[in-house]
Amino acid sequence: MSIRLTDSLRREYERLFESCEILAKRQAAVDQSVERLLAHRDRYRAVTERRGVPWHFVALVHSMESGSSFRCHLHNGDPLSARTVQVPAGRPKRGNPPFDWEVSAADAMALKRLDGDTDWSLAGTLYQLERYNGWGYRMYHPHVLSPYLWSFSTHYTSGRYVADGRWSDSAVSRQCGAAVVLRRLVERGETDLADQPAATFYAQVAAKPAGDNGSQRPLVSRHRMRRSRRDVETEKAQRLQRWLTSFPGIFLKADGIPGDRTSDAYRLVTGHYLPGDPRGE
């Protein structure tokens, strides 16, 4: 059974992504996952050149399906030394083993009918990630958001398939969710989503004086500030970061440290860098 990307489902994905917060105890593991993907970005982009699929989508599927191993088929983690044995079996149909990883990865994308014409908006990307894993959580266990997307975030606590068709409410996923890694990639400015930058809107906003767009006054006065020892300053910085993230296309980690990315986002919304940023002096 297939699930359609309805307007309601699109809004659900967008709401979950915007409110996604990484569990503090999992932050280091998430950042390690991000670094692992970034280290091989050129190889993922080679698949983009073949199929038009965004590099971050290829990277996320690679991480989820085969532990980022370049010795395995992206389809299901089978070794590249032969055609796939597990479902989907017999892939790639063309060529002879051993297969180059990039060739096999492009075949996996083709099998899923993914290319440059696919909807690669935020919601479209999350839809394709969940579709890649299957709709079992959504169809049979809707009380649990798929850990394939949301594990290691506040959106997921427990519940998972421990084997094909075998469910456990108490089992906890030990794999970082794809949407969580994507959120961190976007927070760090390492990738963009097709519908999120909203460059035209921000260009119009930035052209106005700060007082003409209803923006708040700066909540912090120090740029490149180290984590404050005073909770009140950290809380003010976090409130600023959350406010900025409420604008379409801006995703900041609310860490209470107003550095370059916070200042850049503040400029997009208000037309000015944060006070104390030397770029605005």
Side-chain angles (χ1 to χ4, degrees):
M1 180 177 178
S2 179
I3 302 291
R4 293 178 56 249
L5 182 57
T6 61
D7 288 343
S8 175
L9 182 54
R10 185 180 295 276
R11 289 192 295 271
E12 176 189 318
Y13 282 134
E14 291 172 347
R15 174 180 56 79
L16 289 171
F17 193 80
E18 290 169 1
S19 60
C20 176
E21 293 185 15
I22 299 169
L23 297 173
K25 65 181 180 180
R26 297 295 193 181
Q27 183 68 59
V30 174
D31 282 331
Q32 287 175 0
S33 296
V34 168
E35 293 298 335
R36 184 169 62 248
L37 301 191
L38 292 176
H40 301 290
R41 182 159 35 186
D42 288 345
R43 298 196 73 172
Y44 300 132
R45 283 175 171 166
V47 182
T48 300
E49 293 176 1
R50 289 173 178 265
R51 291 293 305 171
V53 177
W55 77 266
H56 56 254
F57 182 85
V58 180
L60 291 167
V61 171
H62 189 214
S63 175
M64 301 302 295
E65 297 295 327
S66 55
S68 298
S69 172
F70 286 96
R71 295 177 294 180
C72 303
H73 287 288
L74 188 61
H75 308 70
N76 54 23
D78 285 347
L80 290 169
S81 56
R83 300 189 196 281
T84 57
V85 176
Q86 303 178 77
V87 178
R91 306 296 304 196
K93 291 185 176 181
R94 297 180 180 179
N96 297 306
F99 294 98
D100 289 337
W101 181 84
E102 288 80 0
V103 171
S104 175
D107 181 75
M109 296 296 103
L111 184 63
K112 292 290 187 178
R113 299 183 180 179
L114 300 174
D115 56 27
D117 292 328
T118 301
D119 177 0
W120 293 117
S121 64
L122 168 57
T125 299
L126 298 182
Y127 171 82
Q128 293 299 341
L129 285 168
E130 187 168 3
R131 171 176 172 258
Y132 206 100
N133 181 240
W135 300 111
Y137 290 92
R138 186 171 293 277
M139 292 173 59
Y140 305 116
H141 304 280
H143 62 291
V144 176
L145 293 175
S146 173
Y148 192 88
L149 294 182
W150 305 111
S151 180
F152 289 17
S153 81
T154 52
H155 291 325
Y156 173 78
T157 302
S158 66
R160 63 182 288 262
Y161 285 98
V162 295
D164 288 345
R166 183 181 172 190
W167 174 262
S168 170
D169 272 321
S170 60
V172 178
S173 173
R174 297 181 180 180
Q175 186 179 31
C176 182
V180 177
V181 178
L182 179 60
R183 169 72 193 226
R184 192 70 184 111
L185 282 167
V186 174
E187 285 178 352
R188 290 176 51 168
E190 298 290 355
T191 196
D192 291 320
L193 297 161
D195 62 331
Q196 293 301 303
T200 302
F201 166 77
Y202 287 128
Q204 293 172 348
V205 172
K208 298 179 181 180
D212 290 352
N213 54 27
S215 62
Q216 300 176 7
R217 292 187 60 80
L219 298 180
V220 292
S221 61
R222 292 177 58 201
H223 184 63
R224 301 182 185 280
M225 181 180 70
R226 293 185 180 276
R227 186 174 295 276
S228 176
R229 295 180 180 178
R230 292 178 295 173
D231 290 343
V232 64
E233 291 186 23
T234 299
E235 290 174 2
K236 287 179 179 179
Q238 289 173 329
R239 287 205 302 273
L240 172 64
Q241 290 165 328
R242 293 192 182 100
W243 174 70
L244 291 169
T245 301
S246 71
F247 288 84
I250 293 179
F251 298 98
L252 296 171
K253 178 177 174 58
D255 57 8
I257 306 174
D260 288 343
R261 282 184 53 73
T262 302
S263 189
D264 289 339
Y266 188 81
R267 182 176 182 274
L268 286 173
V269 173
T270 69
H272 302 275
Y273 289 111
L274 285 175
D277 187 334
R279 295 174 295 178
E281 296 177 355

